[in-house]
Amino acid sequence: MTTDILLAAMSLVFAPKVLAIILAASVFGLFVGAIPGLTATMAAALMVPLTFFMDPVPAVSAIVAATAMAIFAGDIPGAMLRIPGTPASAAYVEDSYAMTQRGQLRTVLGLNLICSALGGVFGSIILMVAAPALARIAMRFSSDEYFWLALLGLSCAVFIAASNPVKGVLSLLVGLSIAMIGFDPSAGYPRFSFGITELTGGVDFVPAMIGMFAIPEVIRNLVNIHQVQPVQKRVSHVFSGLGERLKQRWWNILRSSALGTLIGALPGAGADIAAWVCYAVSKKFSREPEKYGTGHDEGIIDATASNNAAVSGSWVPALVFGIPGGAVTAIAVGIMYMKGLNPGPRIFAESPEIIYAVLIAFLIANLIMVPLGYVAIRMAGLIIGVPRAVLMPIIMIFCMVGAFAITNSSFAIVIVLIMGLLAYGMEENGIPLAPAILGLVLGPLVERNFVMSMTKSGGDLLSLFDRPIAAVLGITTLTIWLLPIVMASLRRYRGQQA
C-alpha cells in the first residue's frame, strides 16, 4: 500500500458526508444489537435499502459500522438480563450476568466495551496489513479441514463444562440432536420433522438461542416477582479500575484478538464460533478454570476481544477473493457488485483506494465504539430500575418479535417457547446450556463437511488426514480426546503400584 493510495482512501472516508453516515449507522447498530433477537446480520440487512442511494464507500462503511456496533451491543442485555443480544454474546453471558449479580455491572460492561474496541482495532490493523496472506491460508481449507475444525470446536464443550463433564456431554448431545432436525445433507430427505413442514428446514439457531436464554430468566423472575431486588438506575464510572485488570490480561486480549481474526477469516466461521473457541481456549490455559461460568473476567475478556476481531477477519475472503465469509459479508459483497465493483484479487489493482477506504472505515468504527458505547451503557442502565413485573413482559415481546423478524415465520415463536421450557428444565437439573448451544452451532458444520469428505473419498476415513492442515487439526482433536483417558489410566496404574 503506497502513500498515494492511503491518502486517496483517507480522503474518501474523511469526507463529512461519509463520517456522518458512519456515525448514524453506528447508532443504529447499537440499537439493533441491544435488542434480544435482532442480530448483527439483521442490522446489516436493514441497512441495505438505504445503501441504494449511496456511493460505494459510504454504503459499505455503513454496513461495517452497524455490524461492529451490534456485536458489542449484544453484550449489554447479556450482562443486565442474562439474555444475549446477539449469538456472539452467548459464550460468556453466564459470567457477565454472574458479575452483575455481585454488583459488578459497571465493571463487566466496561470490559465488554474496551475489549470489543481493542479486538476490533487489532482485527482492522491485521486486515489492512495481512489481508492477502490470511486469505491464502483460508483458501486452503477444504471440507476435511472444516470437519476437524468444527469437531475441535465441539471438544470445547468438555472444557466449558469441566466441573461436570458428564452433564456437559449430555447437554452437547441435546444440542446435536436438535441440530439434526431437517433435511439429511446426503439423502436430501427430511428427518425428525414429524410431518411438520416448518421443521423440514431445521431449527433456526437464533429463535432457539433466544428461547434457551430468555424464557428461563423470565420464568425465574416471575416466580420470584415479589422478592425485593436491588435497583441500580444508573451505570456510571464504567472505566473505573479497568486499567489494572487489562494490564494483567494483556496476553489474553492479544491472543484472542489474533485467534479471532484467524477464525473470522475462515468462510462460514464468524464471530459466534470465534467467541466459543476463544472462551474454551481461555479456560483451558487459565490458572483458575474452576471460576469460569461463575463470574470470572478472564473468559469475558478473551471472548469479547475475539468476536469483534472476527468481524474484521471475516472480510478477508470477501475482499480479497470475493467469497463471503458469512451472512454480513455476503450482503456487503452484493452491495459492491451493485455499485459496479467486483471484489477479488483484481480490485486491489483496479480500485485499491476503495478497498483501503473500507478498511479505514473499520478502524474508525471501532474507535468511535468507545464514546458511543459509553453513552449506550449509560442509557441502558435505566433498564435495571424498571420493575420486573413491567420489564419481563416487555422482554418477552421483544424476544417474540425478534424471533419472528429473523425467520418471517410465526413458528419461530413456538420454537422459542419449546426451547425455553427445555432449557429451564435443564438448568433446574444442573445441566449447563453452553454445550447445547455449541452443538446447535457446530453440529450442521460437522455433518455437512463429513458427508462432503466421505463423498469425495468414497468412504475412506483415512482421507481425512491426507492434507497437511487437516492432519494437524485431526491429530490435535484426537489428542484432546485421548489425553484425559491416558492420564486417568496412568494415575490409576500408579495408584495400584503404590
Side-chain angles (χ1 to χ4, degrees):
M1 179 174 58
T2 65
T3 304
D4 291 340
I5 294 175
L6 180 60
L7 291 175
M10 292 177 67
S11 67
L12 290 173
V13 177
F14 287 99
K17 180 180 177 181
V18 178
L19 292 176
I21 289 173
I22 292 175
L23 180 63
S26 298
V27 174
F28 176 74
L30 284 171
F31 173 77
V32 173
I35 298 176
L38 302 185
T39 65
T41 302
M42 177 171 286
L46 292 174
M47 293 294 297
V48 171
L50 300 178
T51 63
F52 293 160
F53 311 100
M54 301 180 190
D55 293 330
V57 170
V60 180
S61 297
I63 300 295
V64 166
T67 305
M69 294 295 177
I71 293 292
F72 153 69
D75 297 339
I76 297 175
M80 291 183 170
L81 304 168
R82 195 175 166 268
I83 303 171
T86 62
S89 305
Y92 46 95
V93 68
E94 298 288 354
D95 284 284
S96 297
Y97 189 65
M99 289 184 68
T100 298
Q101 289 183 310
R102 295 205 300 263
Q104 297 177 318
L105 176 60
R106 71 177 188 182
T107 300
V108 69
L109 288 178
L111 287 173
N112 289 149
L113 177 57
I114 297 300
C115 292
S116 293
L118 290 175
V121 168
F122 182 93
S124 302
I125 294 173
I126 292 297
L127 186 59
M128 296 175 70
V129 174
L134 287 173
R136 282 194 293 271
I137 295 174
M139 287 298 293
R140 293 177 184 174
F141 273 57
S142 68
S143 58
D144 297 343
E145 285 82 5
Y146 278 114
F147 166 73
W148 286 118
L149 182 67
L151 209 57
L152 184 62
L154 286 180
S155 305
C156 297
V158 178
F159 304 135
I160 294 171
S163 58
N164 197 327
V166 175
K167 289 186 176 181
V169 172
L170 177 60
S171 177
L172 178 63
L173 292 176
V174 170
L176 290 173
S177 300
I178 296 171
M180 291 179 67
I181 297 173
F183 279 102
D184 186 313
S186 58
Y189 191 80
R191 61 189 180 189
F192 307 122
S193 60
F194 306 103
I196 301 174
T197 305
E198 289 84 353
L199 286 179
T200 54
V203 176
D204 193 277
F205 172 66
V206 174
M209 185 205 71
I210 293 172
M212 294 186 80
F213 283 106
I215 301 301
E217 197 62 30
V218 169
I219 293 174
R220 275 190 290 270
N221 275 276
L222 291 177
V223 169
N224 303 314
I225 197 70
H226 298 297
Q227 293 185 5
V228 178
Q229 299 183 4
V231 176
Q232 183 178 353
K233 293 186 178 180
R234 301 183 64 184
V235 182
S236 58
H237 306 294
V238 296
F239 304 125
S240 178
L242 291 187
E244 188 62 31
R245 286 179 183 260
L246 296 176
K247 184 179 179 181
Q248 293 175 353
R249 308 294 189 196
W250 68 270
W251 170 245
N252 298 73
I253 297 173
L254 185 61
R255 177 186 64 195
S256 293
S257 296
L259 185 56
T261 303
L262 288 171
I263 293 173
L266 303 175
D272 309 351
I273 294 176
W276 285 105
V277 171
C278 288
Y279 183 87
V281 169
S282 175
K283 185 172 183 178
K284 178 64 177 176
F285 292 102
S286 174
R287 296 179 180 178
E288 302 172 309
E290 70 282 354
K291 292 185 178 180
Y292 282 65
T294 64
H296 191 45
D297 65 345
E298 195 171 356
I300 295 173
I301 289 171
D302 273 280
T304 306
S306 68
N307 59 19
N308 276 73
V311 172
S312 300
S314 66
W315 286 72
V316 171
L319 294 178
V320 179
F321 288 94
I323 300 173
V328 172
T329 49
I331 293 171
V333 166
I335 291 173
M336 294 179 77
Y337 278 118
M338 184 178 66
K339 300 298 181 181
L341 299 173
N342 296 317
R346 292 183 61 186
I347 198 173
F348 279 82
E350 297 173 353
S351 306
E353 70 281 358
I354 299 291
I355 294 300
Y356 286 106
V358 172
L359 303 185
I360 293 171
F362 259 112
L363 194 58
I364 294 174
N366 284 286
L367 290 175
I368 65 174
M369 181 185 294
V370 176
L372 290 181
Y374 177 73
V375 173
I377 289 172
R378 292 292 301 270
M379 295 179 65
L382 299 175
I383 295 175
I384 298 297
V386 178
R388 288 296 186 263
V390 176
L391 182 61
M392 288 302 115
I394 295 175
I395 292 296
M396 280 290 293
I397 292 172
F398 271 124
C399 290
M400 300 305 176
V401 170
F404 176 82
I406 202 71
T407 62
N408 199 29
S409 169
S410 58
F411 189 75
I413 298 175
V414 178
I415 296 295
V416 169
L417 296 174
I418 293 175
M419 296 300 292
L421 294 174
L422 173 64
Y424 181 74
M426 290 171 62
E427 287 193 321
E428 289 297 301
N429 289 280
I431 300 174
L433 295 183
I437 297 293
L438 197 61
L440 273 169
V441 174
L442 294 180
L445 193 62
V446 170
E447 183 181 20
R448 184 169 61 251
N449 287 287
F450 179 75
V451 170
M452 289 175 62
S453 294
M454 291 299 97
T455 302
K456 289 187 299 184
S457 66
D460 183 10
L461 289 173
L462 292 179
S463 68
L464 293 170
F465 297 91
D466 285 348
R467 298 163 59 88
I469 299 177
V472 172
L473 288 172
I475 292 171
T476 302
T477 303
L478 294 177
T479 301
I480 291 174
W481 289 4
L482 296 175
L483 191 59
I485 299 174
V486 172
M487 295 300 292
S489 300
L490 286 175
R491 284 194 296 268
R492 190 179 302 110
Y493 175 76
R494 289 171 182 171
Q496 292 174 352
Q497 294 297 315

